[in-house]
Amino acid sequence: MTEPSESLADLLRPVKHVLLDFDGPVCSVFAGFSAPDVAESLRQALADLGWQAAAGGSVETDPLALLRQVAEVRPDLVPAADQRLTLLETEAVRSGRPNREGEAVLRACADSGRSVSIVSNNATAAIESYVEAHSLGRYVARVIGRAPGDPSSMKPSPRLLLEAIQAEGGGLADSVFVGDAVRDVEAGLAAGIGTIGYANKPGKRERLTGAGAVAVVDSMGAIAEALMG
C-alpha cells in the first residue's frame, strides 16, 4: 500500500530541492554485478595489500560495509580500498537496472521547477558515469557521493545531505530526502530534513516507518505523481 497521494502532495508542495539516494530510487546498482561479488573482488584486492579478515568472523557481503570494516581495522588501507571499490562500482553500474519510476521523479522535478541532488554512499565517479550513460544529466543538479578515502562521510552521517543543501543554497524546510534504507532516514533526521522512505522490498515499510520516515511509499511513481499535484 502506498501513502495517499494527497498527503504526499501536501508534503512535497513546499519542497524546492529533492535529494535522492542512488541505489534503489534511481537504479539497482548491483543487479548485474552482485554486491557479494563486488565485495569478494574488493577483498581479493585488499589481500594483495596485506589485508586479513578476522579469523572465524563472518564474510562481509556488502562492499560498503567492508569499506567501513577496513577503516576500523586497517585505516592505512582505506585510500587504496576506496579507489578499488570506486572502479568496481563503476563497472557495476554498467549492468545496473534502471528504476524507470525513479527517472519519472527526476522528470517531475524538472517539470515542476525543483532541483535534484543525488546523495549516495556510492562513489561519485560511478554515479556520474551512470547519469551520463542514461542521459539524465539535464535532470540532476549535482552528484554527491561518499568523500574519497573517508567512509565516515557515508550515511547515516548527515554530512553528504548537508553538503548538498549547502551547495544548493536552500534551507532545511524546503528540502526533502528520498531513500530506501534505515540509514537514509537516520541521516535525514540528523541533518534536520524529512525523509520519504521507499519500501522496495518486503519488511522495509515497517523498518522505515519505525526509523522516523515522514512518509513511506512502495513506488517511486507515487512521488512523481505527487510532485505534479
Side-chain angles (χ1 to χ4, degrees):
M1 178 178 178
T2 301
E3 294 291 323
S5 58
E6 292 83 5
S7 66
L8 267 182
D10 290 342
L11 175 65
L12 291 169
R13 193 163 290 115
V15 168
K16 299 177 181 177
H17 186 200
V18 176
L19 287 68
L20 284 180
D21 183 32
F22 180 59
D23 188 11
V26 178
C27 81
S28 294
V29 173
F30 302 111
F33 187 4
S34 74
D37 286 344
V38 169
E40 181 57 29
S41 294
L42 177 57
R43 194 167 12 256
Q44 291 174 3
L46 288 167
D48 292 339
L49 298 173
W51 163 265
Q52 290 183 332
S58 60
V59 175
E60 182 55 69
T61 58
D62 179 341
L64 294 174
L66 178 56
L67 182 61
R68 290 186 192 274
Q69 192 179 92
V70 173
E72 293 171 0
V73 180
R74 288 288 305 273
D76 58 305
L77 294 181
V78 168
D82 197 317
Q83 185 176 36
R84 178 59 180 166
L85 180 54
T86 296
L87 293 174
L88 291 166
E89 288 171 302
T90 302
E91 180 181 351
V93 298
R94 296 192 189 106
S95 56
R97 183 173 62 249
N99 184 336
R100 297 306 181 191
E101 292 186 341
E103 293 178 9
V105 169
L106 295 177
R107 292 191 294 272
C109 285
D111 291 344
S112 61
R114 296 174 170 95
S115 65
V116 174
S117 292
I118 294 178
V119 184
S120 171
N121 287 349
N122 294 118
T124 299
I127 302 167
E128 288 179 339
S129 70
Y130 179 91
V131 167
E132 180 179 0
H134 291 263
S135 302
L136 300 176
R138 56 186 163 170
Y139 303 118
V140 179
R142 63 190 53 78
V143 172
I144 298 178
R146 65 176 183 273
D150 185 5
S152 70
S153 66
M154 297 192 296
K155 298 166 288 179
S157 166
R159 175 175 165 182
L160 303 178
L161 297 179
L162 292 172
E163 183 178 337
I165 293 168
Q166 183 177 17
E168 180 62 22
L172 300 175
D174 56 17
S175 301
V176 73
F177 181 39
V178 180
D180 68 336
V182 167
R183 63 176 172 267
D184 295 321
V185 180
E186 292 172 344
L189 288 171
I193 65 172
T195 301
I196 297 173
Y198 171 40
N200 55 346
K201 293 179 181 178
K204 278 195 173 184
R205 170 172 287 276
E206 294 76 18
R207 293 195 295 272
L208 293 167
T209 300
V214 294
V216 178
V217 298
D218 301 322
S219 161
M220 291 295 290
I223 298 175
E225 181 180 349
L227 283 164
M228 300 305 295

